[in-house]
Amino acid sequence: MRYCIAANWKMHLYPAEAEALFLALRDAWQEAPLSNLPGIIFPPVLYLQRLSDLRQGSPLQIGAQNGYPGEFGAYTGEVSMAQLAAVGTQWVLVGHSERRQYFGEGEAFLREKILSAQQRGLSVLYCVGETQAQRSAGQTFSVLTSQLEGVLRDTPIAWSRFALAYEPVWAIGTGLNATATQAQEAHAFLRAQLRTYGAPADTIPILYGGSLKPENAAELFAQPEVDGGLVGGASLKTESFLAIAKALLQKLPVS
Ligand code: PEP
């Protein structure tokens, strides 16, 4: 799988809203060409079980926005990777900038999460990206390098269950997206970095995230190194998420 579209619902939606949105997406994914496009929905953890039941037979996959390494333990408030897998979760987001920024998660802990998730059979979507201050200081590539190095060095990664999201922090939820040139440059850099860790980089999805919307999706997806998107705000409405997903169809081989 190289191309893929993902929805990060963050801490949004009441149960009935989440179910209605998921059912609308499930219907849309029922038919070609959308049914040929890998799609992943990351709902609040509370809804994973229900959406996992509803997805039976659908090509849409379900992911958790977070997970704690391990199986069981005295970690009040946490949900383990093993528990996520047990309710039918297929993916987990690791390293989202909101987790790094608000919950102080650093690379050593993120590496543990990746290892634990993969040991339980989950696929990992690992997020990286620089802040505005880091970009202004010319540190974008060194930040991306260390965000990869901190989790990949000497780590036995199952590459067939690993994807990356390039999410410049200054673009998340701000309405300011990276330009197509900035995205292409960062994605090409990340793919070259993945090769240095022995990854089959041409098969690994590198998604762009940060204020993706129907108006900018086609231009960003037209970049050869941009393999899809991780969509926050615009994934909360059926029409806007579907419009973004459809913009990615241009990348699928014609069957
Ligand atoms: C995100 O949360 O990963 C994200 C990219 O959000 P938004 O699309 O709202 O910028």
Side-chain angles (χ1 to χ4, degrees), residues 48-132:
L48 282 169
Q49 173 82 73
R50 178 73 183 134
L51 300 197
S52 167
D53 293 343
L54 290 174
R55 75 165 281 277
Q56 296 309 323
S58 165
L60 278 179
Q61 300 195 322
I62 298 291
Q65 297 171 21
N66 187 31
Y68 198 84
E71 185 177 16
F72 301 117
Y75 298 102
T76 302
E78 293 295 328
V79 174
S80 74
M81 298 297 179
Q83 290 169 321
L84 292 173
V87 298
T89 308
Q90 292 143 303
W91 285 82
V92 64
L93 272 185
V94 176
H96 192 282
S97 71
E98 289 151 16
R99 303 269 348 149
R100 293 179 191 262
Q101 188 182 344
Y102 305 138
F103 302 95
E105 297 186 0
E107 270 85 34
F109 183 45
L110 300 176
R111 180 177 183 275
E112 269 187 68
K113 288 192 186 199
I114 292 173
L115 275 170
S116 173
Q118 290 208 329
Q119 278 160 9
R120 268 80 191 176
L122 296 173
S123 296
V124 170
L125 178 50
Y126 179 59
C127 305
V128 295
E130 80 288 357
T131 63
Q132 182 57 64

Side-chain angles (χ1 to χ4, degrees), residues 8 10 96 167 171-173 209-212 230-233:
N8 177 12
K10 309 196 191 197
H96 192 282
E167 299 209 304
I172 297 180
S211 297
L212 255 176
L230 175 56
V231 190

Side-chain angles (χ1 to χ4, degrees), residues 33-255:
L34 221 41
S35 55
N36 299 320
L37 178 68
I40 315 164
I41 310 299
F42 292 92
V45 66
L46 194 58
Y47 308 147
L48 282 169
Q49 173 82 73
R50 178 73 183 134
L51 300 197
S52 167
D53 293 343
L54 290 174
R55 75 165 281 277
Q56 296 309 323
S58 165
L60 278 179
Q61 300 195 322
I62 298 291
Q65 297 171 21
N66 187 31
Y68 198 84
E71 185 177 16
F72 301 117
Y75 298 102
T76 302
E78 293 295 328
V79 174
S80 74
M81 298 297 179
Q83 290 169 321
L84 292 173
V87 298
T89 308
Q90 292 143 303
W91 285 82
V92 64
L93 272 185
V94 176
H96 192 282
S97 71
E98 289 151 16
R99 303 269 348 149
R100 293 179 191 262
Q101 188 182 344
Y102 305 138
F103 302 95
E105 297 186 0
E107 270 85 34
F109 183 45
L110 300 176
R111 180 177 183 275
E112 269 187 68
K113 288 192 186 199
I114 292 173
L115 275 170
S116 173
Q118 290 208 329
Q119 278 160 9
R120 268 80 191 176
L122 296 173
S123 296
V124 170
L125 178 50
Y126 179 59
C127 305
V128 295
E130 80 288 357
T131 63
Q132 182 57 64
Q134 290 164 333
R135 177 165 279 270
S136 303
Q139 295 167 348
T140 299
F141 295 136
S142 60
V143 168
L144 298 180
T145 301
S146 67
Q147 288 176 335
L148 285 186
E149 177 158 354
V151 303
L152 295 182
R153 170 120 0 248
D154 300 326
T155 311
I157 297 284
W159 295 112
S160 61
R161 286 187 283 109
F162 185 84
L164 269 185
Y166 169 60
E167 299 209 304
V169 179
W170 48 272
I172 297 180
T174 59
L176 281 178
N177 57 283
T179 64
T181 309
Q182 287 169 330
Q184 165 67 15
E185 188 183 49
H187 285 228
F189 178 80
L190 290 168
R191 204 177 305 279
Q193 287 287 304
L194 285 176
R195 279 196 192 95
T196 69
Y197 293 98
D202 292 332
T203 67
I204 294 183
I206 305 182
L207 311 184
Y208 168 77
S211 297
L212 255 176
K213 28 188 185 270
E215 298 76 34
N216 59 24
E219 192 189 357
L220 285 155
F221 294 161
Q223 302 308 305
E225 298 292 343
V226 177
D227 304 327
L230 175 56
V231 190
S235 73
L236 296 171
K237 294 260 180 297
T238 311
E239 305 70 38
S240 50
F241 187 61
L242 284 182
I244 295 169
K246 285 177 183 164
L248 187 58
L249 291 173
Q250 61 177 336
K251 298 213 110 154
L252 292 189
V254 183
S255 51

